[in-house]
Amino acid sequence: MALLEDFRQAVIAGDADGAAGIAAGIASEGKASADEVIASLSAAMEEVGGKYETGEYFIPEMLRSAAAVERALQVLDPYLFERRQEYAGVVVMGTVRGDIHNIGKDIIISALRASGYEVHDLGVNVSADKFVARVKEVDADLLLLSAFTTSTRQALVDVLSALEAAGLRDRVKVVSGGAAHSEELAQEVGVDAFASDVKGTLAICRELLGGKHLPGSGGETGC
Ligand code: B12
């Protein structure tokens, strides 16, 4: 689809107005699926990351491309994911301490909200204590941790230790994901599951809750 290629180019060029305009075209034509749009923007950001690695781009260029994606996602949000009415559960999500990447987190949050989850977005650079306090406050079913740089390993461990210390580790399932994150790292730090994309995340969340909030299960809260 030509629009998707134009979209990719606008993101790489860091052209926020262009990306938002093309996103509006994609939404009104309704021809590209969420998978295709996310694949296109992920490929663009992959290329931006490549340009950063080779010294062609620096932080300001990466920030411009990220801003272009964010503007486009604001336009696309109502169209991207199929909306479901049923209540699916309570999620707390954020990017761990020391890490300020947010695009992947925001896409996952959009998909979860569309799928009926009540999501509490704590933003980026979130401390272990803040995660734990919110999990307790909202009695979360799931805690989703975004970690995009390999240096965030300790931050993941800190969240799990803080949950344990607060006596909450058995009450909430923890899922991690994000660029530069892997199944091996997830297993090593001891989260319950790892996912690398939207589909995988939705499937894992459903599986971990095991139908807890489905009608007739006795777990609905009516939110
Ligand atoms: C944009 C970007 C930035 C922007 C972020 C802006 C923003 N608003 O987010 C800025 C310029 C701030 C930035 C800064 C830095 N960055 Co940067 N950045 C990127 C870049 C190019 C794109 C990331 C992105 O948005 N991808 C698109 C989204 C859609 O994909 P995603 O994040 O992977 O998310 C998907 C999945 O991972 C998953 N997912 C995401 N979160 C979660 C959570 C859960 C629970 C689950 C289940 C799934 C899931 O679903 C998403 C949708 O499919 C990547 C390169 C890359 N290839 O990813 C580097 C990259 C992540 N950055 C990197 C680095 C090194 C840095 C800096 C340290 C650079 C520096 N020298 O200062 C700083 C770190 C700052 C900090 N403290 O966090 C490295 C990390 C390498 C590593 N192994 O640690 C990368 C991989 C680039 C590289 N190749 O070197 N960066």
Side-chain angles (χ1 to χ4, degrees):
M1 190 188 184
L3 271 181
L4 284 177
E5 177 51 24
D6 293 347
F7 179 55
R8 198 179 71 86
Q9 295 297 347
V11 170
I12 293 169
D15 173 7
D17 289 342
I22 298 164
I26 291 173
S28 65
E29 279 193 18
K31 283 181 185 155
S33 66
D35 283 351
E36 288 170 328
V37 173
I38 293 167
S40 169
L41 74 84
S42 298
M45 292 314 276
E46 194 70 38
E47 199 165 330
V48 169
K51 284 179 186 290
Y52 172 74
E53 277 181 73
T54 58
E56 189 184 333
Y57 273 15
F58 296 94
I59 299 283
E61 285 84 5
M62 281 211 282
L63 279 174
R64 268 197 288 277
S65 292
V69 170
E70 280 165 21
R71 281 273 307 282
L73 284 175
Q74 281 167 10
V75 175
L76 286 164
D77 186 59
Y79 304 90
L80 223 41
F81 303 107
E82 199 186 320
R83 310 265 138 189
R84 294 189 182 190
Q85 294 307 319
E86 71 264 28
Y87 173 75
V90 181
V91 175
V92 169
M93 184 166 190
T95 302
V96 299
R97 171 161 270 177
D99 198 326
I100 59 168
H101 296 84
N102 71 332
I103 295 172
K105 168 183 74 64
D106 291 348
I107 291 175
I108 298 285
I109 286 177
S110 247
L112 287 168
R113 285 192 172 137
S115 294
Y117 291 90
E118 173 193 325
V119 185
H120 298 262
D121 178 7
L122 300 189
V124 298
N125 190 25
V126 182
S127 68
D129 289 348
K130 205 168 166 189
F131 277 121
V132 170
R134 190 62 75 90
V135 163
K136 196 172 181 181
E137 183 192 329
V138 301
D139 192 17
D141 298 300
L142 296 162
L143 172 61
L144 266 63
L145 304 172
S146 277
F148 299 93
T149 58
T150 34
S151 55
T152 50
R153 182 191 180 284
Q154 189 56 45
L156 289 165
V157 172
D158 291 346
V159 176
L160 293 170
S161 309
L163 280 174
E164 194 82 57
L168 295 170
R169 185 62 189 94
D170 295 337
R171 285 184 30 205
V172 64
K173 299 287 183 193
V174 184
V175 186
S176 62
H181 196 64
S182 65
E183 185 80 55
E184 292 72 44
L185 176 64
Q187 277 183 14
E188 196 190 311
V189 298
V191 296
D192 298 303
F194 163 83
S196 58
D197 58 16
V198 172
K199 272 196 181 143
T201 306
L202 292 177
I204 262 315
C205 289
R206 250 193 321 272
E207 192 184 313
L208 286 173
L209 291 189
K212 185 176 169 193
H213 296 287
L214 289 176
S217 65
E220 310 94 296
T221 67
C223 287

